Amino acid sequence: MTDTCAVCQALKFRIRELEKERTANYQELFERAPVMYVVLEDQHEDAVLRDCNALFLASLGYTRTEVIGWSISKFYTADSREKMYREQNLKRIRESSFLMVERELVCRDGEIIHTLMQAKPDMDERGKLISIRCMFTNISAQKRAQEQLRESNHLLMMILDGICDPLIILDRNMGILMMNRAAEIYAGRAGSQCLGQKCHKIFKSTSRPCAGCCVGQVLGSGRKKQYERAGLMNPDALERVTVYPIREKGYHNWAAIVRVADITLEQQMKNELIQADKMISLGILVSGVAHEINNLNHLIMSNTPLLIDAWKSSVPVLDRYSRENGDFSLGGLPYSRMREEIPQLFEGILEGSARIQRIVKDLKDYARQEEVDMDQTVDLNHVVKNAVRLTRNLIDEKTDHFSLAYGTSLPVVRGNQQKLEQVVINLIQNACQAISDRDQGLEITTFLEPDRNCLCLRVRDQGYGIPENLLTRIMDPFFTTRRGQGGTGLGLSVCQNIVTTHGGKIEVISKPGQGSVFTVSLSLNATPKAGLHDQAPEAFAMGSSAEALL
């Protein structure tokens, strides 16, 4: 019996020693835990701090004696405290075996620590809650990284959305990973509706990649590729498509960036520059040809009077011979007829030579590049006369009904004759282009409007007219309905620039099928602006994106 008691005592002692050892081991693990560890008690519907490890105290800046007995909510930010009550954390812990939520802890110095809290209840054998063990893992660094990532993504999207060309990121299967704002406008739908969809399905509603698509080639070769095509969404546009590969560290091409640039205006400007270069070369050639024509024409003009004098001297002799021998043949025609016609032929030669001289002079004056003098005295009738002389062939080719009415006793205006000739020539050319039948007429009139104190030019045609919805756009740079026939959309815009510089304005009245009336009004009181140069209108110089004269 004594031995049995001794054994029991020894066993109890050993159990107490093991319990002390286990408690010491637990306390050591508790204190050295790499996370903030706390033990809470459930008191009157509140979780009160019963114990905590050193990391919890060191992280928040408190001592153990200060925090024991505090409600855990005291360490929370107002937002975390509100979430704790709203989500009923204490109730959820009692009803479940585990809880994991994010909470923000406030340090003694006001610094906020973002944590991931994991809570586990301790129950006795009757299922009563004894305590709550909570681990707070500091995730502030991860939060900062996430915030930086969000800011980087936001900045990236701001940069991408700031690019005016559509940008689309595609994966290896042609699925859309990202689109900028310009791409959404291009596709006509929100990016969220496109993500994950095949690009050819979104843009062309087809099950196969678009013709000429080189995304697969770029992903295979890892080299950028660029090509031009008719507009995917607007066939009248011209696009330059550039595909860039996106590589990982291992040089594996996993995605591609597709950039679509509308180069319609760029191509038009390039063509205009080429045409302008041709015109400069043509001007140089015309200058040389005009010199040769003038030399030859000078021979005609200087020799024809000698021939006239010789003919006049020959007429008495030929008349006497005709009286004595009767009518005879001269140049294959009867002398009696030739006697009347030869003087008229000489007169026609002189008039033709004088006209050649005037046309060559007008061409050289029109093409001359020089500093524009805006202080010339300009006779509007003389301007129109020169312009009609230069466009007479075009007028005769287009219509059998051309009328020209000059106002009488018109005052002169200040400005530049060459520039105003350019306006009249452009208006005549436009009117001729609008005429589709030789029975349709063209009328040019100059007149004075005393009520407005304006000198006016009116060009009226009976061509196809201008639709009402286009009337407000015909003065815009690059706007034309004749793109396929070589129209550039600069003629009327240049005209408006010149007339405005002269202190005037251009007015248009037009109805489809009834023709158009262009009226140029030059105020007699206006002072022309200085500094007009041979250039396109301001919008052209600034790179206007207006679509680009009838």
Side-chain angles (χ1 to χ4, degrees):
M1 185 71 178
T2 305
D3 293 339
T4 301
C5 291
V7 171
C8 288
Q9 290 295 329
L11 185 57
K12 290 180 181 179
F13 177 79
R14 182 57 182 163
I15 291 173
R16 286 195 294 270
E17 290 296 321
L18 288 174
E19 287 179 350
K20 289 180 181 180
E21 185 178 346
R22 186 181 65 177
T23 301
N25 290 336
Y26 167 77
Q27 193 63 34
E28 184 177 1
L29 291 173
F30 178 78
E31 289 295 337
R32 294 185 179 182
V35 295
M36 293 179 277
Y37 206 139
V38 298
V39 179
L40 305 176
E41 286 184 351
D42 183 7
Q43 293 184 6
H44 310 294
E45 298 301 317
D46 195 6
V48 175
L49 199 70
R50 188 176 75 184
D51 198 4
C52 62
N53 67 352
L55 184 58
F56 180 84
L57 297 170
S59 299
L60 299 184
Y62 291 99
T63 63
R64 189 179 302 275
T65 54
E66 289 178 310
V67 300
I68 298 301
W70 281 8
S71 168
I72 190 62
S73 63
K74 187 172 181 178
F75 300 99
Y76 288 170
T77 62
D79 184 55
S80 290
R81 190 178 303 118
E82 193 273 332
K83 286 180 181 179
M84 182 186 74
Y85 293 131
R86 185 178 66 248
E87 297 171 2
Q88 298 183 340
N89 285 172
L90 197 57
K91 180 180 178 182
R92 290 172 59 191
I93 292 173
R94 292 194 193 101
E95 294 175 351
S96 65
S97 59
F98 187 74
L99 176 68
M100 184 164 63
V101 292
E102 288 189 14
R103 291 290 179 259
E104 295 174 342
L105 302 180
V106 183
C107 299
R108 187 169 201 157
D109 59 6
E111 181 184 353
I112 295 176
I113 301 176
H114 295 272
T115 67
L116 178 66
M117 184 191 77
Q118 302 172 70
K120 183 179 183 304
D122 286 337
M123 304 288 190
D124 60 17
E125 61 275 6
R126 291 174 295 178
K128 182 180 178 182
L129 180 64
I130 302 174
S131 63
I132 303 170
R133 301 182 183 274
C134 298
M135 291 189 297
F136 293 87
T137 304
N138 191 336
I139 59 171
S140 297
Q142 294 93 314
K143 281 289 185 179
R144 284 194 296 270
Q146 290 174 1
E147 185 62 29
Q148 290 172 356
L149 182 59
R150 280 194 295 269
E151 291 177 357
S152 297
N153 287 337
H154 180 65
L155 179 60
L156 175 61
M157 288 309 303
M158 287 178 59
I159 293 172
L160 293 178
D161 288 341
I163 297 174
C164 58
D165 291 336
L167 292 177
I168 307 156
I169 301 180
L170 304 176
D171 61 24
R172 297 187 67 86
N173 298 316
M174 306 295 290
I176 297 176
L177 299 175
M178 185 183 294
M179 298 170 62
N180 69 346
R181 178 59 181 157
E184 293 180 348
I185 297 173
Y186 183 78
R189 61 184 72 187
S192 57
Q193 300 174 355
C194 303
L195 298 184
Q197 301 283 338
K198 304 289 186 183
C199 66
H200 44 82
K201 183 177 180 181
I202 292 296
F203 293 103
K204 296 298 290 184
S205 300
T206 61
S207 58
R208 299 178 62 83
C210 305
C213 179
C214 61
V215 173
Q217 299 176 29
V218 170
L219 290 174
S221 65
R223 291 191 295 272
K224 180 188 81 171
K225 194 172 181 63
Q226 187 177 87
Y227 64 97
E228 294 179 3
R229 70 182 183 195
L232 196 64
M233 310 302 285
N234 177 15
D236 294 330
L238 181 64
E239 296 175 343
R240 180 186 295 123
V241 181
T242 309
V243 184
Y244 307 87
I246 301 178
R247 298 184 179 90
E248 291 181 329
K249 291 182 179 179
Y251 300 96
H252 171 65
N253 305 309
W254 67 276
I257 300 176
V258 180
R259 179 174 183 171
V260 183
D262 188 333
I263 60 171
T264 308
L265 180 59
E266 178 185 328
Q267 190 63 41
Q268 290 168 2
M269 294 175 66
K270 187 183 297 183
N271 293 339
E272 288 302 315
L273 289 174
I274 294 172
Q275 184 64 21
D277 184 65
K278 288 182 181 179
M279 294 303 294
I280 292 172
S281 300
L282 181 61
I284 296 172
L285 293 174
V286 167
S287 178
V289 172
H291 179 72
E292 294 299 322
I293 291 175
N294 275 337
N295 287 340
L296 298 175
N297 195 48
H298 180 70
L299 291 175
I300 297 172
M301 297 185 71
S302 58
N303 291 334
T304 300
L306 295 176
L307 294 175
I308 293 174
D309 290 342
W311 169 252
K312 289 179 179 179
S313 299
S314 302
V315 167
V317 176
L318 294 173
D319 283 348
R320 185 170 61 251
Y321 181 83
S322 176
R323 287 193 301 270
E324 295 174 353
N325 300 288
D327 204 0
F328 60 92
S329 177
L330 183 65
L333 295 173
Y335 169 70
S336 57
R337 179 179 173 184
M338 291 294 283
R339 190 183 188 283
E340 302 297 329
E341 291 190 2
I342 285 179
Q344 296 177 12
L345 294 175
F346 281 136
E347 184 180 347
I349 292 172
L350 288 174
E351 288 180 357
S353 296
R355 186 179 179 192
I356 291 173
Q357 189 179 48
R358 287 196 304 269
I359 290 174
V360 170
K361 179 179 181 299
D362 290 341
L363 282 172
K364 291 173 68 177
D365 289 344
Y366 182 70
R368 183 181 295 122
Q369 294 184 2
E370 58 183 12
E371 187 68 26
V372 178
D373 180 9
M374 294 298 294
D375 197 33
Q376 298 174 357
T377 299
V378 181
D379 181 340
L380 184 59
N381 284 343
H382 185 65
V383 167
V384 173
K385 191 178 298 182
N386 289 344
V388 170
R389 195 158 55 227
L390 288 172
T391 57
R392 189 71 205 206
N393 285 342
L394 178 61
I395 295 171
D396 292 342
E397 178 186 336
K398 286 289 187 176
T399 179
D400 292 329
H401 302 279
F402 172 63
S403 64
L404 180 58
Y406 293 113
T408 58
S409 303
L410 297 182
V412 296
V413 294
R414 309 299 296 178
N416 183 271
Q417 177 170 316
Q418 178 188 350
K419 288 297 178 184
L420 290 175
E421 282 180 18
Q422 184 177 351
V423 172
V424 181
I425 288 172
N426 265 303
L427 294 179
I428 293 174
Q429 288 176 335
N430 285 348
C432 289
Q433 289 164 358
I435 293 173
S436 58
D437 191 308
R438 298 189 63 83
D439 289 333
Q440 295 173 344
L442 172 61
E443 174 189 313
I444 301 176
T445 312
T446 60
F447 56 94
L448 178 68
E449 279 199 357
D451 295 341
R452 295 197 299 156
N453 199 30
C454 285
L455 194 58
C456 299
L457 161 73
R458 177 179 296 139
V459 179
R460 183 197 305 270
D461 68 74
Q462 295 177 335
Y464 47 71
I466 307 169
E468 184 178 357
N469 62 319
L470 299 181
L471 274 176
T472 58
R473 302 181 59 195
I474 60 174
M475 299 292 178
D476 293 345
F478 303 112
F479 177 79
T480 180
T481 59
R482 298 183 57 256
R483 180 79 60 208
Q485 291 79 42
T488 63
L490 286 175
L492 282 180
S493 184
V494 170
C495 289
Q496 186 180 50
N497 186 42
I498 293 172
V499 171
T500 302
T501 307
H502 280 78
K505 62 180 180 178
I506 301 180
E507 299 170 291
V508 188
I509 299 175
S510 184
K511 290 185 178 180
Q514 298 183 26
S516 305
V517 180
F518 283 78
T519 303
V520 177
S521 303
L522 300 174
S523 174
L524 296 174
N525 296 329
T527 302
K529 299 177 183 177
L532 180 66
H533 299 288
D534 292 315
Q535 63 182 17
E538 180 181 356
F540 174 78
M542 295 301 290
S544 169
S545 59
E547 260 193 356
L549 188 87
L550 297 173

